[in-house]
Structure formats: structure tokens, C-alpha cells
Amino acid sequence: MTFTDTDRSAAAPRVRIPVAPAVPSGGRLRPLGLDEVRITGGHWADRQRVNATATLAHIEHWLEREGWLPNFDLAAAGGLPEGRRGREFSDSEVYKYLEAVAWQLGHGDDPELEARFRRTVARVAAAQEADGYLDTNFGRPGQGARWSDLEWGHELYCAGHLFQAAVARERTRPGADDGLLGVATRVADLVCDVFGPDGIPSVCGHAEVETALVELGRVTGERRYIEQARLFVERRGTGVLRDIEWGRSYYQDDIPVREAEVLRGHAVRANYLASGAADVADETGDAGLADALRRQWANTASRRTYITGGQGSHHQDEAFGDDFELPSDRAYSETCAGIASVQFSWRMLLADGDAAYADLLERTLYNVVATSPSADGTAFYYANTLHRRTPGEAADPDVVSPRAEASLRAPWFEVSCCPPNVARTLASLDAYLATAASGDGTDALQLHQYAPARIRTVLGNGQEVALTVATAYPAEGRIAVTIEDDAVEPWTLQLRVPAWASGATVTVYGETQEVAPGYADVRRAFRAGDVVLLDLPVDPHFVRADPRIDAVRGSLAVERGPVVYALESVDLPAGWDGVDDAVLDSGVPPRDAGGRVLVRLAHRVSGDGPWPYVTAPAGSSTEPADVALVPYNEWAERGPSTMRVWIPES
């Protein structure tokens, strides 16, 4: 549906580089960065406030306390390897922290945070060796040789996160004199020398450096970095890494990227690789590679993704399962995999402009990324199960938890990749809300994610546009977009209509039209004060799984807008045993009662015999009761509980 108005003369085009994590050279859409979009309220503003005021300091405290930041001091002083602490990839958590701080500083001046950033950069820079090498776990007497363990060593992975920190700093504070960009480019130059066409013909066991090299190439103009990323993508899948017990698919070295049909193996690695390949396809114009990634994204979304947007159903190897192997109680759904999936979906959205990418990105943000951190921003989920059978125990706020073993959110992990990954994502989230059409002469602006926001940018035809977004989404479905300036000529506002939003409407000047999922186009020579209303139906509703997902056959889930809901034991009536003894009356639709979502449940009789298989189904022992569900991203905020997303029908 398109509202149109007459054309007027255009202004001269202007060029600006977005202050954003991904800035492709091509593609249909151009991201709007932190200097163009600012989240001003609502759910995500609350998350960003907590991230800035609590999470960043929390992360810095644990990096210091666990020795991962002091490792750089030891390296500079010649104290390695005896005093080194943390896993082989602990350097990367320092770099992700720096990236998060850099994006946060992009929101405005903060002298105290700036000073902390510079102090950390100085400690990192002091550990860099004369030829540019920088890693606290390899290369010194008593340590493994450089590049001697590409399968597990994570040297290139750590370098990639260093590059992304430098990119964030250069985009938020161009020309800063802290030295971080110089540190990163010296490492990148060394990587190109060592792994270039005439160097080591291999890759890192944990993909990540690929997308980082491309972004570093974009920010510096050094095409050599982009070519090195292309080499890494082309080598992947040709058997350059040693085989392991889980097979080369674990690190995507079993099939060349352009031949794969679906993401497989370790879910974080797979999504990071796909993101890097998407960047390479953009920079090189490789249509075949881009087609392969579209196919992999579509097959992964339709066969290997949980209702939450989470990915990864194997705990043992943190990996994807087979198609439709999505058990709720064994869902791994690592937070970092969700963040990597967001990065992949975002790059595909920029390339193609298809709303399906934005739909999955939104689902993953609300139900994985937002679920990991506690409300106070100082405890996190590493894995995100969809079904917890036992209440578990609260984590000690002063004790490091084993990876993914915390039954409630934990302050820190032995493998603590998720907290700084969440922090950098939230700090840069403004850059995922809106885009403009790419290319000179274009005149369209797209809103992909909905939050109270201010947006001001210059379209491809040179026209300045400014608007504000007011909404209580996703609690309410109305999004009001107010135009702030008179337009020189008509331009197009494109509003995403999610796939679940059947019956959505757009209203302009009192004219209301129903719009289909995808993008609703509103084209006018807008005047200051014009308001465009998008109304999305966010009533709670049941969702059924594809029958090929055996683990949840005969069960229903509840969604409200993009938010998945869960049944938590603390909300059950007194005397009920737990969530596994509740059955759902699917004949009574879920309903909203003062902002709470209620469903009709009965208490199922549990068998206590010596054999768990019977010839007749168990009955109900209580009168049905209306029970409140909780947004999945808020579960376990009230203490230990049992929980399930998929509830069996009676």
C-alpha cells in the first residue's frame, strides 16, 4: 500500500558515513548510525541505561578481578606465561568491552568513561610486540608458538574483536589520539602477511576475523584487509583444519561456504562466518556467494531456529542440530549465537531489504538478547533454555560460574563471552532501527524496529528528513511517526509490518488502510507536524509448531507481538506441583488483563506407578484456573522457578 503526493525539486546529494557497526559499500539499504538515530524511551532505552550505568562497570570489574585485563600488564612486563589467567580467548573479552565502551561514548561525552577507555587501551597497546603481534596466550617462552593451534587457539578470533573495537572507536570518535586504531592496523597487517596468498593457507577455528577485517578495511580504506577476509571465506570448508570428534562441521570446515545449504556446527561460529561472508559478498560483488547466504539464512530460520529466535540445540558442542531438532528442555540457544544471528540477519537486510530478516532480528532481540541480562544488568544467562524442570539455585554474586551451568543468571562465567557481547550490542542498538535507500537520487527511509526515537538524516537525493517515533511497543501496537520538517519534494516512509501482524493498518490524514506483512509505503511531500500511524495487532495468541518438531508436538506457545511468553511456577495456584503438571485449555484463547497475559490451565494428575507408560491419558484433579504468563525475557527475575514456553494441550 502506498500513499503518494506530487513531486517537487530535489536538493543536492550529501554523503555521510554512518556511525554504525556495519557499513556496507553496496546493498539496497544504508544503515542510519548513532549520529542519526537515538532511542529516547521505552524497553530498549531502559536496557541501554542499565547497560551504561551498571553493566559496563560490572564487566570491567570482573575483567580486572579474574586477571584477563592484567594479562596485558604481564605481557608488557615479561611476566608471562606464569601469571596468565583465563582461557585462550580471554583477550577477546577485553576487546568486546572496549567496543561496548566506544559505542557508548558515541551517545555523548562522558569524561570518566573516556578516561577508563583510554587507560584500558594503553594497557593493551603496551603488550603489542614489535612486529604487531598481540596475544597474551601464545608466542613467548613457555607458551605455544604463534599460529600453532588454529583449531582451538583463537588468535585470529581475538584479533577480530580487537579490530571491531577499533572500528567502533574510529566511527564514534574519528581521529582519536588513543592509539587503538594503530594497534589494530599493525595486527591486521601482520595477519595479511602471515595468512595472505603466499602465507599459511588456513583459517581460524572460530570464525569472526572475517567480518572484522572487512569493517576495518571499510573504515581505513585498506582493500588488503578485505581481500584477506575473502581469502579466509574461500578457504573455509576445504579441510584446512584438523578433524575433531564432532567433525569439521563444528567449525564449518566441511563444506565450502558457497556450497552449504544451511548453517551447521557451532552456532556462534556459523553465524559469525555467515556475517563475514555477507560482508565479503557486498564488497566484492559476489552474487553467487550472496545467493548461497540467502539460501542458508532461509533454511536455518525455517528448520533450525527456536520460537525465541535462539539457535543451537546441542549442549555438547554448542551446535545446531538436524532439521527440526529443537528440544525445549535441551535448548542451548547461546546468547552469543543470538547476537551473531542478529548480525547475520542485519547484513542480509541491508543487502536485500526483505522484511523477513528484520522479523527474525526483532524476535531474537526481544527473546534472546533481552533475556540474557538481569534487570539490574549484573547477571547473565549464557544459555537460554525454553523449559526448566527444576528450580535451580541462585548464583553467588561473587563466584564465577562454570559455562552455561548456572541455573539462574550468573555474574560471570569461566567462559564469559556473553556479558560483553550483550553490552556491545545494546550500546550500538540505535543503529539497528532505521535505514535509508542506498544510492544517489534515492528518497526512501525505512523503519525496521520500533521504539521511541528521534531520527534525522539526509536521503540519497540530498533531502534532509527529521522525524520522531512515539510508541509503547511491544506492550501496545500503535506506532506514531511525526514529521518534524517540511519536505522539499515527496519522499517515501517505509514501515515494517511483521509477518505475525495480520490486520495491521496505516493511517495518514484520517485515511486508514489495511496493510500486508512486509513494508507499508507512505509517500508524500510531508509537512512539519504530519503524523503517520501504524497499528499492529498485539493481542496475545496461541502458536503451534511445525509437526516435524517432535519435542513440542501437542503443545502450544503464546506470543504477544514479537514477545514470547512462558509459564513460570511462581505464578501457579497454591498446591500445584509445577509447570510440568499444567495442561492448557486451548479452547479458551489467551487474553490481556491489565497488561498481564492469562491462559486457562488445569492441574494434570501425575502417575506415581513403577512404570511411566500407561494405556489411558491422565486426567485433571483440579478445577481450571486462569494463570498469568510472563514475558520470556523476564523469567527467573523473581527467584528460582520452573518454567516452560511450550505448554501441553489438555
Side-chain angles (χ1 to χ4, degrees), residues 465-537:
V465 298
L467 53 88
T468 60
V469 181
T471 184
Y473 185 83
E476 298 176 10
R478 169 157 287 192
I479 296 99
V481 181
T482 301
I483 309 302
E484 294 185 353
D485 296 333
D486 291 341
V488 175
E489 65 169 5
W491 59 275
T492 301
L493 174 65
Q494 297 181 295
L495 304 171
R496 180 177 63 91
V497 180
W500 49 260
S502 177
T505 63
V506 166
T507 302
V508 182
Y509 286 169
E511 178 188 356
T512 300
Q513 294 189 32
E514 187 169 320
V515 291
Y519 287 93
D521 293 357
V522 183
R523 182 173 179 80
R524 298 188 64 82
F526 289 103
R527 297 294 182 240
D530 284 355
V531 179
V532 178
L533 297 178
L534 172 64
D535 283 293
L536 301 175

Side-chain angles (χ1 to χ4, degrees), residues 193-245:
D193 290 342
V194 172
F195 291 93
D198 299 321
I200 299 172
S202 193
V203 298
C204 184
H206 197 311
E208 202 283 335
V209 73
E210 296 82 359
T211 193
L213 278 166
V214 172
E215 288 302 331
L216 188 63
R218 287 167 173 166
V219 85
T220 62
E222 179 55 73
R223 295 293 301 183
R224 184 187 186 199
Y225 302 156
I226 295 169
E227 172 59 19
Q228 185 61 53
R230 186 194 67 78
L231 278 175
F232 282 143
V233 170
E234 292 298 339
R235 288 171 182 165
R236 182 80 57 168
T238 61
V240 293
L241 297 172
R242 292 191 300 269
D243 202 0
I244 59 173
E245 60 180 310

Side-chain angles (χ1 to χ4, degrees), residues 439-453:
D440 294 343
T442 56
D443 61 2
L445 182 146
Q446 302 79 30
L447 292 183
H448 305 289
Q449 307 299 328
Y450 297 118

